[in-house]
Amino acid sequence: MEKGQGKVTGRVFFFTRKAFEVYSMAQTEKKGGLLRKSSASKKPLKEKVVLMYDEIFTTEDPSKCNPRFWEELFLMKVNLEYLEGKLEALDGEELMKIKDNINCLFQHCIQALGEEHPIRVVNALQTLCALIRGVHQKNKSTSGFDIINMLVGFDKAELCMKNLMESLDSLLCAEGSESLKSLCLKLLLCLVTVTDNISQNTILEYVMINSIFEAILQILSSPLSRREHGYDAVVLLALLVNYRKYESVNPYIVKLSIVDDEATLNGMGLVIAQALSEYNRQYKDKEEEHQTGFFSALTNMVGSMFIADADEKISVQTNEAILLALYEAVHLNRNFITVLAQSHPEMGLMTTPTSPVPTTPVTPLGTTPPSSDVISSAELPLDADVQTSNLLITFLKYSSIVMQDTKDEHRLHSGKLCLIILTCIAEDQYANAFLHDDNMNFRVNLHRMPMRHRKKAADKNLPCRPLVCAVLDLMVEFIVTHMMKEFPMDLYVRCIQIVHKLLCYQKKCRVRLHYTWRELWSALINLLKFLMSNETVLLAKHNIFTLALMVVNLFNMFITYGDTFLPTPSSYDELYYEIIRMHQNFDNLYSMVLRLSTNAGQWKEPASKVTHALVNIRAIINHFNPKIESYAAVNHISQLSEDQVLEVVRSNYDTLTLKLQDGLDQYERYSEQHKEAAFFKELVRSISINVRKNLAFNTLSQELLLKEFSTIS
């Protein structure tokens, strides 16, 4: 073995004197690449690794004068800031002059990944990250050179990238250092997010050809690897799935759609559940802190008039990256649906690694990293029922938080994605089966927006119910709390569609759900009232008749098929009672749509559809109102009680004539490519930018690495 190289005896790593001398020198370096002055009269000295970088940035081959140049370089601690800064400081023309040296550095980095010396591997990984990010900065300029050509050269690109991906795959799958695996994932995330629009990142063609999909699955299926690297692995997979997904066959989409290994799918579900749970926990902590703080005391003094404004200050940044991973899993893989309902044995259990393992992420990667490493730290229980929790419950709680405030763009995107995920769930036959299962009852504590006209529900009074009740509660909560000037029409449409799809399942399977349907009916009627009250303002921006038609048809679903899925005959009576009680709203709606449908304008056709849809509701009102007035007159009662009205309703069903309406129990299935492509492209762009911004691959303590690698046994 040559002098200066490390050697491996068995599985115990020893450093030679030369290696330790090199590292002793490296510990004194500064970010700018300068060593400390030895005296005031002497110029500051540059550290050795910086001098070596400077040699690379000349037109000469640095190994000409020093044949051991590349070997020595990877024993030096990487100065990421200097290397990236040096690359960014050059213009395109200057960079092209040193292209051969850049290619050489890139190739030697790939070679170093195959070495037994772990420090060389670490430094090669970090150097690759700096190279990719630094060279990409030039690719943004007008110089127009190709990033692949600049890094590896067109003639060697295919072979070099194949070797790189194979080396990363081997490191990720090996029984080795967790720090190396962490750096491999960081490098891959660096590769993927180097451009804002990942579909324009031509380097990813090689990641498609040389798949690391199996390596990602292996991480997710292993409890130790998942705890250390699951978050990065899931985010990486979500991004890779979105590479040119509408333009070509993406192998990661194909492979993700057919995964059926239970351990892997459960592992992915655990990672997502823990990340969402961490968000929920942070929000709950801030909420409790807020309630016991100064503002709470102030509100108690002056009343509750500021309660809505106070709540706006409770803000925990959303995590679109992990939400995107959940969406892709639910949307692409039918087998993942089963994971939603499975309780997590690891949740709430204090588990720590058996031996201390250095980890790269001080904060995990994502659009907004949680406050601590959600995978390596134990799951913190949110409620007393955490032991019987599952991914769907965690997701519903998360949704109830982010959907409260849709004024913020990130929360609006998160809220929309939550509703899209729920749409996919509401269309799935198996998902509906466990949502409506009477034997799977849970107490789901959704977050409710503080409002002046209602009291906060006591958590302990929540009943245990099938999970579909929590989904309906979430929809009702959204309907009630977002009637505002900046009306989120798109979210309301999705919300009503989810309710409709759940009702279609209940009608089809004759599921009699014991739910407080009155709350839904009341929310829907108030929504119609809001649309009418703000007709002029809303029509300037939205086609409100589409939403009004959907709401009216929900009532038509209950009227036409309610006897097959409402829990009791009295529930059906209560539906009629609510329609009669709130008849003025339906009368006003009919007047509005009749007015617009008889005028020659842009709203003529959509308004006339609502007019036709109201036929049975109007028939009910026109049939029962005279009967109720007659009953009151005969019995000399000025105002009838609910029971008296219900008595009139029950005794006059026989003479009521309704029209059979077609297509009420049919709907258009969700399609991403045709309707949501623009949304997902923008969402993935936003995630890519944030992942890149939060990417920290230089947080490895060199002393910690030395300690780890010198004690591997």
Side-chain angles (χ1 to χ4, degrees), residues 297-306:
L298 183 63
T299 15
N300 288 335
M301 286 163 49
V302 299
S304 60
M305 61 184 293
F306 299 116

Side-chain angles (χ1 to χ4, degrees), residues 397-412:
K397 290 178 181 178
Y398 176 91
S399 301
S400 70
I401 296 171
V402 299
M403 284 165 59
Q404 285 183 26
D405 178 19
T406 55
K407 293 174 186 175
D408 173 74
E409 186 181 3
H410 284 295
R411 280 174 173 257
L412 181 65

Side-chain angles (χ1 to χ4, degrees), residues 206-411:
Y206 299 103
V207 185
M208 296 293 122
I209 296 166
N210 306 286
S211 175
I212 48 148
F213 183 81
E214 285 71 23
I216 293 173
L217 294 196
Q218 186 171 314
I219 288 170
L220 295 175
S221 62
S222 162
L224 176 62
S225 291
R226 181 173 66 242
R227 190 163 56 241
E228 296 293 334
H229 317 296
Y231 189 93
D232 285 359
V234 163
V235 171
L236 176 62
L237 181 58
L239 288 168
L240 288 172
V241 161
N242 279 277
Y243 174 71
R244 302 190 68 190
K245 70 192 305 188
Y246 309 119
E247 301 143 39
S248 60
V249 178
N250 181 322
Y252 290 85
I253 292 178
V254 176
K255 290 180 178 181
L256 179 58
S257 66
I258 58 174
V259 174
D260 59 0
D261 179 66
E262 192 177 343
T264 303
L265 293 172
N266 285 341
M268 188 174 187
L270 269 170
V271 172
I272 294 168
Q274 288 190 293
L276 296 179
S277 293
E278 172 67 10
Y279 177 93
N280 295 348
R281 184 190 63 79
Q282 287 183 35
Y283 182 86
K284 190 170 184 179
D285 288 348
K286 283 202 173 187
E287 190 178 44
E288 288 174 357
E289 178 187 320
H290 182 81
Q291 287 169 353
T292 56
F294 168 77
F295 208 97
S296 177
L298 183 63
T299 15
N300 288 335
M301 286 163 49
V302 299
S304 60
M305 61 184 293
F306 299 116
I307 195 164
D309 298 327
D311 188 62
E312 285 178 10
K313 296 185 179 180
I314 304 172
S315 177
V316 180
Q317 288 180 298
T318 51
N319 190 335
E320 284 87 8
I322 211 72
L323 207 58
L324 178 66
L326 175 59
Y327 164 75
E328 297 296 356
V330 169
H331 180 232
L332 294 174
N333 192 300
R334 288 291 308 280
N335 299 311
F336 189 80
I337 293 292
T338 62
V339 175
L340 293 172
Q342 289 182 4
S343 58
H344 296 304
E346 289 176 308
M347 292 179 73
L349 300 179
M350 298 300 291
T351 53
T352 53
T354 52
S355 58
V357 180
T359 53
T360 310
V362 173
T363 57
L365 295 167
T367 52
T368 311
S371 61
S372 61
D373 190 341
V374 296
I375 305 307
S376 60
S377 64
E379 164 73 7
L380 292 166
L382 303 179
D383 324 289
D385 68 335
V386 73
Q387 294 298 334
T388 57
S389 187
N390 56 43
L391 175 54
L392 182 59
I393 292 173
T394 305
F395 167 65
L396 290 173
K397 290 178 181 178
Y398 176 91
S399 301
S400 70
I401 296 171
V402 299
M403 284 165 59
Q404 285 183 26
D405 178 19
T406 55
K407 293 174 186 175
D408 173 74
E409 186 181 3
H410 284 295
R411 280 174 173 257

